[in-house]
Amino acid sequence: MTTAPAVPALHGRFWLKLVALLLGLFAAILLVLALFPWDLLREPLNRYVSEKTGRRFEITRRLDVEVGWRQATVRFDGIEFANPPWAREPYLVRAERAEFDLRFWQLLARRIVLPRLVLAQPSLGLQMEPDGRKTWALGKGNDDESTVPTIGLIQVDGGSVDFLAKALEIDLRAQFSFDSQRGEMPLSYQVKGRYRAQPLTAVGRTGNVLQLSAVGQPPFPIEIDLKAGQTRLKASGTVAELADLDGLDAQFEMRGPDLGRLYPALGIALPQTPPYALSGNLRKNAALWEVRGLKGRLGLSDIGGDMQFDKSQKVPHLGGTLRSRVMDMDDLGPLIGLPPTARSANAVEGVAPPPTIAQVDRRKRNDPARKVLPDATLDFERLRAMNADVSYTAERIQNVRELPLDKGSVQVKLKDGVLTLDPLELGVASGRIAGAIRIDATQNPADIRAALDVRAMQINRLIPKVETLKTSFGRLDGRINLSGRGNSVASWLGGASGDVAAITGRGQFSNLLLEFLGLDGGEIIKFLLEGDHNVELRCAAVAFDVEKGVMNGRSLVFDTSDTVFNGAGSISLASESMDLVVRQQPKDMSILALRTPLRVRGSFASPKAGVEVAPLATRGAAALALAAINPLLALVATVETGPGKDADCSEVLAEAKKPSSRAAAAGATKARQQPAPGS
């Protein structure tokens, strides 16, 4: 019988002894570290940190360290850490006590990781310079990102924070107070200062343990009531990480004078609006912001829906679906650079109304050169800051001027600086206006194109007062095809080319009104005695060739069975002036007719309408001469023989349907060419 060799057993005992020795050595090291008088290292540590950072660092009373497997817990009884000499505040941090966990294995990679930081009555001085320097960058050069500590949880029991970032236009000071009787939010704060050149104040509460960048920790509660300028924000909810607001889930209420003013703070190119009041649920997950259940008011209009803003893409993207039960046309003025109306400006309680269009007009009233078209420069630069795809629907449209707007919808797309409203639809007077608007903000001035078709609008609904004249029109069709370049509505229209037209077919028209327009005294007397009756409207057309901001009348005809009106002239959108002449040609014979061309001229701000004096004076002189012979002969000068003839309606309508000049035709064609966004 053979025995097993003893060598393996000897080897096994050797390794057991080696492991026991190492464990004993490690235990001895831990015991030494546990019993080590760490405070002896306080002064050497003060000198070492001061030399490495180039700033004064001092643990003022006592140093203690507790060493674990992965990290050490360091306690300072009193700490003063100076700021760089260029900083406003003398100290980066000054506190009665400080305690933090330090991942010492991360130090080998030159990273400072503090999973937990506790400060008693701290005073913090945080500052960022336009050149990138930060007071919390701990290298001598203050620009080495590897020397910026990564902090997980931070706990305070009061104190203050001073934060200055000149490049961001932020200058804030926060005061903290702790009271355990406040429940789950024992830490309250007050913030005062300036943000984007506006005064800012905020008060709120939170848990005393704040998670700056902790991963896997439960969210902590937070409340805020903030006022920046005229913007007011109230929010309450929870947040997982305070550094970038990740895991935010909060209910909010917000109000202010104009959503467009939020662009510097949010980086979202929202439209210019009247005063607003909004509420909803705000969430953030990584780079995705979401607003759910949005509801509120924009001026006189209600608004609701859901929105998303994704900052993970190379160009941030805004998406969503919005709707209004009732949209008021008075609220659309700011979109095109006009101040809001008084109704719209005062519609939101708690927001100081901005200057209204009436107040602005009052200041300009005595200015003979004042303009009517919106000339405020539109900030197209913002359109390059993001992409967007948002749909909006208004179930009903109302307006103080009682225009018969029924409903509307639009799909807003923004890609690579090109904004399109396509499709754009408005229900008007039982008909509709449909088409597209395109703004290419990659060019300066912006390339703007508008192609809109008018279909089947009922003129009786379009002009409600017409009912009192026993008048019945047919339907109105038309179009607006304009293209040009500009950075405001006025500058665009002042250089635009294209086609503007409106046509209508048969209907009924008040003869009494017709004779007033034709200055036919005999017919007016007859109808006042016998009563008014309607005449047939055969056709009507108003069409202009638009060439570089000048609207030249192409077809200006209003033909009834009694009288045909022919117009001519032009309108300058650049100078906002007009000179139009309408000539009446009656189709029947009448006395007491003082027919003379009607003329409309002047500026948009101060139009002047009247009759041409020369023809009227000629008839008046003839009447006076004949009256000298026999008073009854004076009537001869007012006899109208009725030379008017029926217009060729087919020719009138055909002429109104297409531009006649090459420049107008080219502009209209370009307007109808609506390239896809980004093409």
Side-chain angles (χ1 to χ4, degrees):
M1 181 177 181
T2 59
T3 59
V7 175
L10 291 174
H11 279 292
R13 287 194 294 272
F14 170 78
W15 287 110
L16 286 175
K17 290 180 181 179
L18 181 60
V19 171
L21 178 63
L22 293 174
L23 289 175
L25 181 62
F26 187 71
I29 293 173
L30 290 179
L31 182 62
V32 170
L33 292 175
L35 299 177
F36 186 81
W38 291 99
D39 195 50
L40 295 176
L41 299 180
R42 176 160 53 95
E43 290 302 326
L45 182 61
N46 288 346
R47 290 192 297 270
Y48 177 80
V49 175
S50 297
E51 190 279 328
K52 285 294 184 182
T53 61
R55 321 185 202 170
R56 176 179 169 271
F57 174 85
E58 183 177 3
I59 304 166
T60 58
R61 291 188 291 273
R62 181 175 176 78
L63 166 66
D64 194 13
V65 179
E66 182 180 319
V67 180
W69 288 93
R70 299 176 55 196
Q71 64 189 27
T73 299
V74 183
R75 299 181 181 89
F76 298 154
D77 188 7
I79 179 177
E80 294 179 354
F81 193 3
N83 261 329
W86 47 262
R88 178 172 65 184
E89 291 295 308
Y91 293 101
L92 171 65
V93 57
R94 189 179 189 184
E96 289 296 313
R97 290 179 305 279
E99 177 180 316
F100 58 91
D101 296 334
L102 175 64
R103 296 274 172 85
F104 41 75
W105 298 113
Q106 295 287 345
L107 295 176
L108 300 176
R110 298 187 62 200
R111 290 195 295 266
I112 302 174
V113 179
L114 309 179
R116 181 179 65 94
L117 173 62
V118 180
L119 297 171
Q121 295 298 313
S123 175
L124 305 178
L126 309 178
Q127 185 169 333
M128 293 176 59
E129 288 295 284
D131 59 8
R133 291 177 296 169
K134 306 178 183 69
T135 57
W136 58 91
L138 303 182
K140 278 189 176 182
N142 300 298
D143 57 357
D144 185 357
E145 287 297 324
S146 66
T147 62
V148 176
T150 300
I151 301 175
L153 305 177
I154 183 170
Q155 182 175 353
V156 297
D157 62 356
S160 64
V161 176
D162 186 272
F163 181 65
L164 174 64
K166 298 176 183 176
L168 302 177
E169 299 182 76
I170 300 175
D171 186 357
L172 302 174
R173 185 170 183 84
Q175 297 283 348
F176 296 88
S177 66
F178 180 84
D179 187 345
S180 59
Q181 296 183 356
R182 296 187 183 125
E184 65 173 2
M185 288 189 285
L187 188 67
S188 65
Y189 60 87
Q190 293 183 336
V191 182
K192 290 185 178 180
R194 298 189 70 81
Y195 179 78
R196 300 288 183 181
Q198 293 186 336
L200 181 145
T201 59
V203 296
R205 300 186 303 156
T206 183
N208 68 320
V209 178
L210 311 179
Q211 294 164 195
L212 297 189
S213 58
V215 178
Q217 299 290 335
F220 64 93
I222 188 168
E223 288 181 357
I224 188 170
D225 185 347
L226 177 148
K227 185 176 182 181
Q230 296 185 49
T231 301
R232 184 78 177 267
L233 170 67
K234 291 184 179 181
S236 63
T238 58
V239 62
E241 296 186 11
L242 196 60
D244 57 6
L245 296 180
D246 199 26
L248 176 67
D249 187 349
Q251 294 296 125
F252 75 92
E253 297 179 5
M254 191 172 188
R255 62 184 61 217
D258 180 0
L259 282 176
R261 297 187 189 181
L262 300 179
Y263 174 72
L266 304 181
I268 305 177
L270 297 172
Q272 307 294 323
T273 69
Y276 62 88
L278 303 172
S279 65
N281 175 251
L282 177 63
R283 300 185 182 186
K284 182 178 185 291
N285 183 14
L288 179 64
W289 292 81
E290 294 182 280
V291 175
R292 302 181 181 180
L294 177 71
K295 60 181 180 180
R297 302 193 67 81
L298 298 177
L300 298 156
S301 306
D302 68 273
I303 191 77
D306 301 293
M307 301 289 290
Q308 308 86 37
F309 187 59
D310 188 356
K311 299 187 70 174
S312 65
Q313 304 182 32
K314 183 178 180 180
V315 178
H317 185 272
L318 178 69
T321 302
L322 299 174
R323 60 189 174 276
S324 295
R325 291 188 299 273
V326 178
M327 190 273 284
D328 196 290
M329 288 292 290
D330 272 16
D331 298 325
L332 298 185
L335 282 175
I336 57 173
L338 288 174
T341 66
R343 295 173 65 248
S344 184
N346 290 276
V348 176
E349 185 178 353
V351 178
T356 67
I357 190 169
Q359 292 170 332
V360 172
D361 285 347
R362 193 177 301 123
R363 297 171 193 161
K364 297 180 179 179
R365 189 166 296 165
N366 296 325
D367 180 6
R370 67 189 177 101
K371 297 298 182 69
V372 172
L373 296 176
D375 57 1
T377 300
L378 302 176
D379 191 356
F380 293 138
E381 176 71 25
R382 300 183 179 189
L383 300 184
R384 296 191 284 272
M386 69 177 198
N387 293 331
D389 189 351
V390 178
S391 65
Y392 171 74
T393 302
E395 298 175 9
R396 184 166 66 88
I397 301 175
Q398 68 181 17
N399 192 284
V400 65
R401 287 165 292 279
E402 298 181 355
L403 290 175
L405 298 168
D406 304 321
K407 57 185 178 180
S409 65
V410 63
Q411 186 77 28
V412 180
K413 294 182 181 180
L414 174 60
K415 184 172 177 59
D416 300 331
V418 179
L419 174 68
T420 59
L421 309 181
D422 185 13
L424 169 63
E425 290 197 18
L426 283 175
V428 185
S430 301
R432 71 183 187 116
I433 298 176
I437 296 175
R438 177 182 185 269
I439 300 174
D440 185 351
T442 63
Q443 304 183 43
N444 189 18
D447 178 16
I448 305 176
R449 308 177 188 183
L452 302 172
D453 287 326
V454 179
R455 292 287 179 265
M457 283 201 295
Q458 300 298 316
I459 302 180
N460 282 46
R461 289 200 60 208
L462 191 65
I463 313 173
K465 301 295 184 183
V466 86
E467 291 297 337
T468 62
L469 300 173
K470 300 179 180 179
T471 299
S472 164
F473 287 118
R475 72 178 198 175
L476 180 71
D477 297 323
R479 65 190 173 277
I480 298 173
N481 293 316
L482 292 175
S483 61
R485 300 183 67 177
N487 288 333
S488 69
V489 174
S491 64
W492 169 58
L493 290 175
S497 296
D499 172 34
V500 175
I503 59 176
T504 185
R506 294 184 178 274
Q508 299 292 319
F509 196 77
S510 167
N511 200 50
L512 179 57
L513 178 61
L514 195 66
E515 303 306 340
F516 270 114
L517 293 176
L519 302 180
D520 192 336
E523 292 292 308
I524 292 172
I525 294 173
K526 182 177 71 173
F527 293 135
L528 289 177
L529 294 174
E530 299 179 0
D532 186 19
H533 68 272
N534 283 353
V535 297
E536 179 186 358
L537 171 66
R538 300 183 65 250
C539 60
V542 177
F544 291 89
D545 281 353
V546 186
E547 299 181 31
K548 296 182 179 181
V550 178
M551 301 175 62
N552 296 305
R554 178 173 77 243
S555 179
L556 306 176
V557 178
F558 190 90
D559 184 25
T560 73
S561 56
D562 181 85
T563 304
V564 59
F565 294 82
N566 287 287
S570 64
I571 300 172
S572 173
L573 299 174
S575 62
E576 297 193 12
S577 60
M578 65 187 83
D579 190 356
L580 300 171
V581 176
V582 179
R583 290 179 171 82
Q584 318 95 319
Q585 293 181 322
K587 299 178 182 179
D588 56 0
M589 190 172 109
S590 177
I591 63 171
L592 296 179
L594 298 176
R595 299 189 193 276
T596 186
L598 302 174
R599 191 165 189 180
V600 180
R601 52 184 171 176
S603 67
F604 292 1
S606 182
K608 297 178 176 60
V611 297
E612 284 198 344
V613 177
L616 192 61
T618 299
R619 287 207 175 196
L624 288 174
L626 292 173
I629 301 172
N630 188 325
L632 292 179
L633 292 179
L635 297 177
V636 175
T638 66
V639 172
E640 178 63 74
T641 58
K645 296 181 180 180
D646 288 349
D648 186 340
C649 282
S650 60
E651 182 179 340
V652 167
L653 300 182
E655 188 178 38
K657 286 181 178 179
K658 60 181 181 179
S660 59
S661 77
R662 180 177 299 179
T669 300
K670 184 178 180 181
R672 291 192 297 270
Q673 293 172 345
Q674 299 280 343
S679 63

